[in-house]
Amino acid sequence: MKAPRLTDTTLRDGSHPMRHQFTREQVASIVQALDRAGVPVIEVSHGDGLAGSSLQYGFSHTSEFDLIETARSHAERAKIAALMLPGIGTRQELKEAVARGIQVVRIATQCTEADVSEQHFGLAKELGLETVGFLMMAHMRPPEALAEQAKLMESYGADCVYIVDSAGAMLPSDAAARVRALKEALSVQVGFHAHNNLGLGIGNTLAALEAGADQIDGCLRGLGAGAGNAATELLAAVLDRLGLNPGLDVFGLMDAAEYIVAPIMPFQPFPDRDAITIGYAGVYSTFLLHAKRAGAQYGVDPREILVELGRRQAVAGQEDWIIDVALDLSRRHTAGTRKESRL
């Protein structure tokens, strides 16, 4: 293993549990603390990326462009990054983000849809940005299929391609196999982004590092979607114990998590029943509320709905399946009850 580059995404993935309500003052204090502690890249944007502030994804308290500008003005050493999802963010938002100060863009697609990112990588390179590809929900496809998708991103201009465990569904062997496949297939760097739904955020990140990952992600206090991400301060401590500290101030990050982030958190993300179900089923966390509503309407355990959605490999944008699945399960239960009554 070698010392990785760490990107802290408290101010992007952490936007989900914060309901996209970060303020300029909060961004300034978090960026200053991360920058002083030696974190080299800090991601700042709406939780769903540039232009995510909307009725569908949740409105931001403060314009993400204002938050990016604030972050850049308070970072002395760290680079400022933003997330962009093709279909949500456009050329206009990317250009504005560059004008406000981003130096890195992370372009995220469903793990089977890398081909939709070609224009976005092309524009990012024209704008002089460092480019990172994100293959989301990467647990859903085998390593060799992900390698083919990653090669597309590399051909479009990605400087690094990430395996992204969006649902927190991977086991350490899953993370290692996928990172290893990309390392063997690509000439650019490979990264790993963990979620903690099965309590494996740190373990999976270490497995990815053992498989050769060059870049990893974390959030202070684990503040991220679902059960949260690998905690930045924990990653720093573990890397230091392994002799792989890339220049992070372990105590400084502990203090930032405890005294700056913890007081503003609406709750502490952790693997509760709902979060575990998301990881166990391997589905997007956004399905959870819909599954609960459908379960209540049709008398079905929401966990059964989510597990069936995972079996069908449902992805974002297929929320209409939730009602279909709930109806199917309800009919099965009814048919089973009738059969038992006849016996």
Side-chain angles (χ1 to χ4, degrees):
M1 291 192 290
K2 61 182 180 181
R5 184 172 85 162
L6 173 68
T7 294
D8 183 274
T9 184
T10 305
L11 295 170
R12 197 281 302 169
D13 216 318
S15 183
H16 290 293
M18 291 292 291
R19 298 182 184 231
H20 318 296
Q21 299 300 295
F22 279 120
T23 65
R24 279 180 176 267
E25 293 74 22
Q26 291 167 346
V27 168
S29 60
I30 291 170
V31 167
Q32 284 178 321
L34 290 169
D35 190 58
R36 283 196 299 265
V39 173
V41 184
I42 302 169
E43 188 176 46
V44 184
S45 64
H46 185 279
D48 293 284
L50 297 175
S53 181
S54 62
L55 181 63
Q56 182 177 4
Y57 298 111
F59 289 107
S60 298
H61 175 278
T62 304
S63 164
E64 62 191 339
F65 300 117
D66 291 343
L67 299 183
I68 287 168
E69 187 173 65
T70 298
R72 181 64 186 272
S73 68
H74 286 83
E76 295 182 4
R77 296 179 295 173
K79 291 182 177 181
I80 303 302
L83 183 74
M84 185 177 194
L85 277 67
I88 299 177
T90 67
R91 297 172 63 91
Q92 179 180 341
E93 284 83 30
L94 184 56
K95 288 180 178 179
E96 179 64 19
V98 171
R100 296 297 191 100
I102 69 164
Q103 298 137 296
V104 182
V105 65
R106 311 213 297 176
I107 299 170
T109 75
Q110 178 68 21
C111 66
T112 56
E113 299 175 355
D115 59 335
V116 304
S117 64
E118 183 174 7
Q119 292 182 346
H120 303 76
F121 279 109
L123 177 60
K125 282 301 182 184
E126 288 177 18
L127 295 171
L129 294 172
E130 178 184 340
T131 53
V132 176
F134 256 38
L135 292 173
M136 299 188 296
M137 297 294 283
H139 74 280
M140 296 178 68
R141 303 300 298 156
E144 58 273 14
L146 295 171
E148 292 303 314
Q149 294 293 308
K151 285 196 285 188
L152 287 177
M153 286 186 164
E154 180 182 36
S155 73
Y156 302 152
D159 298 307
C160 175
V161 181
Y162 265 70
I163 293 293
V164 181
D165 187 16
S166 311
M170 289 188 195
L171 303 178
S173 58
D174 300 321
R178 284 157 175 77
V179 168
R180 191 175 298 113
L182 264 61
K183 288 295 292 183
E184 292 172 354
L186 305 180
S187 59
V188 298
Q189 291 194 340
V190 174
F192 184 77
H193 176 98
H195 279 268
N196 204 40
N197 293 58
L198 295 179
L200 293 169
I202 297 293
N204 284 345
T205 301
L206 289 179
L209 286 172
E210 289 177 351
D214 306 285
Q215 300 189 29
I216 58 174
D217 286 4
C219 292
L220 289 170
R221 195 83 177 198
L223 182 65
N229 300 77
T232 296
E233 65 276 15
L234 272 173
L235 285 172
V238 171
L239 289 172
D240 196 64
R241 286 287 303 274
L242 289 170
L244 300 173
N245 190 335
L248 303 170
D249 178 351
V250 178
F251 286 1
L253 290 169
M254 289 181 186
D255 290 344
E258 190 76 13
Y259 300 119
I260 298 175
V261 173
I264 67 172
M265 290 168 56
F267 60 91
Q268 174 65 59
F270 74 102
D272 61 9
R273 185 182 72 166
D274 291 341
I276 294 169
T277 302
I278 293 295
Y280 178 71
V283 296
Y284 275 107
S285 59
T286 53
F287 285 6
L288 178 62
L289 182 57
H290 299 293
K292 284 184 172 181
R293 289 171 177 165
Q297 183 176 356
Y298 296 105
V300 179
D301 189 329
R303 290 173 292 185
E304 291 185 61
I305 297 173
L306 292 169
V307 168
E308 178 62 18
L309 288 165
R311 188 188 69 78
R312 298 187 187 189
Q313 297 195 326
V315 299
Q318 294 180 316
E319 284 80 1
D320 57 319
W321 260 9
I322 294 173
I323 296 298
D324 293 340
V325 167
L327 279 168
D328 287 347
L329 291 172
S330 179
R331 289 175 186 136
R332 289 182 205 169
H333 292 336
T334 300
T337 300
R338 288 174 180 168
K339 184 176 180 181
E340 288 177 5
S341 65
R342 287 196 298 270
L343 295 174

PDB file of all heavy atoms in Angstrom, residues 11 23-33 36 67 70-71 73-74:
ATOM      1  N   LEU A  11     -18.762  18.672   2.771  1.00  0.00           N
ATOM      2  CA  LEU A  11     -19.564  19.783   2.250  1.00  0.00           C
ATOM      3  C   LEU A  11     -20.287  19.445   0.951  1.00  0.00           C
ATOM      4  O   LEU A  11     -20.859  20.331   0.315  1.00  0.00           O
ATOM      5  CB  LEU A  11     -18.674  21.018   2.069  1.00  0.00           C
ATOM      6  CG  LEU A  11     -18.124  21.575   3.379  1.00  0.00           C
ATOM      7  CD1 LEU A  11     -17.062  22.641   3.118  1.00  0.00           C
ATOM      8  CD2 LEU A  11     -19.253  22.140   4.239  1.00  0.00           C
ATOM      9  N   THR A  23     -24.370  26.932   5.379  1.00  0.00           N
ATOM     10  CA  THR A  23     -24.244  28.382   5.233  1.00  0.00           C
ATOM     11  C   THR A  23     -22.809  28.745   4.866  1.00  0.00           C
ATOM     12  O   THR A  23     -21.886  27.925   4.997  1.00  0.00           O
ATOM     13  CB  THR A  23     -24.607  29.097   6.540  1.00  0.00           C
ATOM     14  OG1 THR A  23     -23.633  28.739   7.554  1.00  0.00           O
ATOM     15  CG2 THR A  23     -26.005  28.684   7.012  1.00  0.00           C
ATOM     16  N   ARG A  24     -22.612  29.972   4.446  1.00  0.00           N
ATOM     17  CA  ARG A  24     -21.259  30.457   4.152  1.00  0.00           C
ATOM     18  C   ARG A  24     -20.358  30.329   5.374  1.00  0.00           C
ATOM     19  O   ARG A  24     -19.190  29.936   5.272  1.00  0.00           O
ATOM     20  CB  ARG A  24     -21.309  31.922   3.715  1.00  0.00           C
ATOM     21  CG  ARG A  24     -21.682  32.175   2.256  1.00  0.00           C
ATOM     22  CD  ARG A  24     -21.674  33.682   2.003  1.00  0.00           C
ATOM     23  NE  ARG A  24     -21.921  34.049   0.625  1.00  0.00           N
ATOM     24  CZ  ARG A  24     -20.984  34.265  -0.287  1.00  0.00           C
ATOM     25  NH1 ARG A  24     -19.705  34.093   0.044  1.00  0.00           N
ATOM     26  NH2 ARG A  24     -21.292  34.631  -1.523  1.00  0.00           N
ATOM     27  N   GLU A  25     -20.894  30.676   6.535  1.00  0.00           N
ATOM     28  CA  GLU A  25     -20.090  30.648   7.758  1.00  0.00           C
ATOM     29  C   GLU A  25     -19.648  29.225   8.094  1.00  0.00           C
ATOM     30  O   GLU A  25     -18.497  28.987   8.491  1.00  0.00           O
ATOM     31  CB  GLU A  25     -20.887  31.248   8.920  1.00  0.00           C
ATOM     32  CG  GLU A  25     -21.181  32.735   8.806  1.00  0.00           C
ATOM     33  CD  GLU A  25     -22.270  33.053   7.778  1.00  0.00           C
ATOM     34  OE1 GLU A  25     -23.085  32.144   7.451  1.00  0.00           O
ATOM     35  OE2 GLU A  25     -22.306  34.204   7.287  1.00  0.00           O
ATOM     36  N   GLN A  26     -20.544  28.272   7.936  1.00  0.00           N
ATOM     37  CA  GLN A  26     -20.196  26.878   8.204  1.00  0.00           C
ATOM     38  C   GLN A  26     -19.158  26.368   7.217  1.00  0.00           C
ATOM     39  O   GLN A  26     -18.203  25.689   7.609  1.00  0.00           O
ATOM     40  CB  GLN A  26     -21.456  26.014   8.141  1.00  0.00           C
ATOM     41  CG  GLN A  26     -22.418  26.263   9.284  1.00  0.00           C
ATOM     42  CD  GLN A  26     -23.787  25.643   9.043  1.00  0.00           C
ATOM     43  OE1 GLN A  26     -24.122  25.247   7.923  1.00  0.00           O
ATOM     44  NE2 GLN A  26     -24.603  25.570  10.091  1.00  0.00           N
ATOM     45  N   VAL A  27     -19.328  26.717   5.955  1.00  0.00           N
ATOM     46  CA  VAL A  27     -18.354  26.307   4.942  1.00  0.00           C
ATOM     47  C   VAL A  27     -16.984  26.902   5.245  1.00  0.00           C
ATOM     48  O   VAL A  27     -15.961  26.210   5.170  1.00  0.00           O
ATOM     49  CB  VAL A  27     -18.834  26.727   3.536  1.00  0.00           C
ATOM     50  CG1 VAL A  27     -17.705  26.583   2.511  1.00  0.00           C
ATOM     51  CG2 VAL A  27     -20.034  25.884   3.117  1.00  0.00           C
ATOM     52  N   ALA A  28     -16.955  28.160   5.608  1.00  0.00           N
ATOM     53  CA  ALA A  28     -15.676  28.823   5.906  1.00  0.00           C
ATOM     54  C   ALA A  28     -14.944  28.113   7.044  1.00  0.00           C
ATOM     55  O   ALA A  28     -13.741  27.825   6.949  1.00  0.00           O
ATOM     56  CB  ALA A  28     -15.908  30.287   6.243  1.00  0.00           C
ATOM     57  N   SER A  29     -15.659  27.806   8.124  1.00  0.00           N
ATOM     58  CA  SER A  29     -14.999  27.193   9.277  1.00  0.00           C
ATOM     59  C   SER A  29     -14.553  25.763   8.981  1.00  0.00           C
ATOM     60  O   SER A  29     -13.457  25.344   9.399  1.00  0.00           O
ATOM     61  CB  SER A  29     -15.930  27.218  10.496  1.00  0.00           C
ATOM     62  OG  SER A  29     -17.127  26.498  10.244  1.00  0.00           O
ATOM     63  N   ILE A  30     -15.353  25.014   8.235  1.00  0.00           N
ATOM     64  CA  ILE A  30     -14.984  23.630   7.906  1.00  0.00           C
ATOM     65  C   ILE A  30     -13.802  23.603   6.945  1.00  0.00           C
ATOM     66  O   ILE A  30     -12.848  22.832   7.118  1.00  0.00           O
ATOM     67  CB  ILE A  30     -16.197  22.878   7.326  1.00  0.00           C
ATOM     68  CG1 ILE A  30     -17.249  22.672   8.421  1.00  0.00           C
ATOM     69  CG2 ILE A  30     -15.772  21.530   6.730  1.00  0.00           C
ATOM     70  CD1 ILE A  30     -18.584  22.157   7.912  1.00  0.00           C
ATOM     71  N   VAL A  31     -13.827  24.463   5.935  1.00  0.00           N
ATOM     72  CA  VAL A  31     -12.721  24.503   4.966  1.00  0.00           C
ATOM     73  C   VAL A  31     -11.424  24.919   5.652  1.00  0.00           C
ATOM     74  O   VAL A  31     -10.354  24.326   5.405  1.00  0.00           O
ATOM     75  CB  VAL A  31     -13.054  25.446   3.801  1.00  0.00           C
ATOM     76  CG1 VAL A  31     -11.806  25.744   2.966  1.00  0.00           C
ATOM     77  CG2 VAL A  31     -14.135  24.837   2.923  1.00  0.00           C
ATOM     78  N   GLN A  32     -11.480  25.910   6.505  1.00  0.00           N
ATOM     79  CA  GLN A  32     -10.269  26.347   7.206  1.00  0.00           C
ATOM     80  C   GLN A  32      -9.679  25.212   8.031  1.00  0.00           C
ATOM     81  O   GLN A  32      -8.461  25.002   8.032  1.00  0.00           O
ATOM     82  CB  GLN A  32     -10.589  27.541   8.102  1.00  0.00           C
ATOM     83  CG  GLN A  32     -10.764  28.853   7.345  1.00  0.00           C
ATOM     84  CD  GLN A  32     -11.132  29.994   8.264  1.00  0.00           C
ATOM     85  OE1 GLN A  32     -11.916  29.847   9.204  1.00  0.00           O
ATOM     86  NE2 GLN A  32     -10.568  31.173   8.004  1.00  0.00           N
ATOM     87  N   ALA A  33     -10.540  24.475   8.736  1.00  0.00           N
ATOM     88  CA  ALA A  33     -10.057  23.375   9.574  1.00  0.00           C
ATOM     89  C   ALA A  33      -9.456  22.258   8.729  1.00  0.00           C
ATOM     90  O   ALA A  33      -8.382  21.726   9.053  1.00  0.00           O
ATOM     91  CB  ALA A  33     -11.204  22.843  10.427  1.00  0.00           C
ATOM     92  N   ARG A  36      -6.077  23.498   7.215  1.00  0.00           N
ATOM     93  CA  ARG A  36      -5.000  23.514   8.217  1.00  0.00           C
ATOM     94  C   ARG A  36      -4.524  22.103   8.535  1.00  0.00           C
ATOM     95  O   ARG A  36      -3.347  21.888   8.839  1.00  0.00           O
ATOM     96  CB  ARG A  36      -5.480  24.197   9.501  1.00  0.00           C
ATOM     97  CG  ARG A  36      -5.542  25.709   9.437  1.00  0.00           C
ATOM     98  CD  ARG A  36      -5.638  26.303  10.831  1.00  0.00           C
ATOM     99  NE  ARG A  36      -6.832  25.861  11.520  1.00  0.00           N
ATOM    100  CZ  ARG A  36      -7.990  26.542  11.548  1.00  0.00           C
ATOM    101  NH1 ARG A  36      -8.087  27.700  10.896  1.00  0.00           N
ATOM    102  NH2 ARG A  36      -9.022  26.079  12.200  1.00  0.00           N
ATOM    103  N   LEU A  67     -21.186  29.113  -1.948  1.00  0.00           N
ATOM    104  CA  LEU A  67     -20.433  28.246  -1.035  1.00  0.00           C
ATOM    105  C   LEU A  67     -19.077  27.875  -1.628  1.00  0.00           C
ATOM    106  O   LEU A  67     -18.070  27.826  -0.905  1.00  0.00           O
ATOM    107  CB  LEU A  67     -21.245  26.983  -0.730  1.00  0.00           C
ATOM    108  CG  LEU A  67     -22.593  27.191  -0.043  1.00  0.00           C
ATOM    109  CD1 LEU A  67     -23.251  25.837   0.254  1.00  0.00           C
ATOM    110  CD2 LEU A  67     -22.457  28.002   1.237  1.00  0.00           C
ATOM    111  N   THR A  70     -16.843  30.867  -1.261  1.00  0.00           N
ATOM    112  CA  THR A  70     -16.396  30.978   0.129  1.00  0.00           C
ATOM    113  C   THR A  70     -15.300  29.959   0.419  1.00  0.00           C
ATOM    114  O   THR A  70     -14.285  30.281   1.061  1.00  0.00           O
ATOM    115  CB  THR A  70     -17.577  30.761   1.085  1.00  0.00           C
ATOM    116  OG1 THR A  70     -18.552  31.784   0.866  1.00  0.00           O
ATOM    117  CG2 THR A  70     -17.126  30.797   2.539  1.00  0.00           C
ATOM    118  N   ALA A  71     -15.508  28.738  -0.042  1.00  0.00           N
ATOM    119  CA  ALA A  71     -14.510  27.690   0.197  1.00  0.00           C
ATOM    120  C   ALA A  71     -13.171  28.068  -0.422  1.00  0.00           C
ATOM    121  O   ALA A  71     -12.116  27.942   0.218  1.00  0.00           O
ATOM    122  CB  ALA A  71     -15.011  26.364  -0.373  1.00  0.00           C
ATOM    123  N   SER A  73     -11.965  30.942  -1.116  1.00  0.00           N
ATOM    124  CA  SER A  73     -11.334  32.093  -0.466  1.00  0.00           C
ATOM    125  C   SER A  73     -10.732  31.739   0.891  1.00  0.00           C
ATOM    126  O   SER A  73      -9.901  32.483   1.416  1.00  0.00           O
ATOM    127  CB  SER A  73     -12.343  33.231  -0.297  1.00  0.00           C
ATOM    128  OG  SER A  73     -13.353  32.888   0.644  1.00  0.00           O
ATOM    129  N   HIS A  74     -11.145  30.604   1.466  1.00  0.00           N
ATOM    130  CA  HIS A  74     -10.629  30.211   2.780  1.00  0.00           C
ATOM    131  C   HIS A  74      -9.655  29.031   2.709  1.00  0.00           C
ATOM    132  O   HIS A  74      -9.163  28.584   3.746  1.00  0.00           O
ATOM    133  CB  HIS A  74     -11.788  29.861   3.719  1.00  0.00           C
ATOM    134  CG  HIS A  74     -12.543  31.061   4.206  1.00  0.00           C
ATOM    135  ND1 HIS A  74     -13.546  31.669   3.466  1.00  0.00           N
ATOM    136  CD2 HIS A  74     -12.421  31.794   5.335  1.00  0.00           C
ATOM    137  CE1 HIS A  74     -14.022  32.698   4.123  1.00  0.00           C
ATOM    138  NE2 HIS A  74     -13.363  32.794   5.254  1.00  0.00           N
TER     139      HIS A  74
END
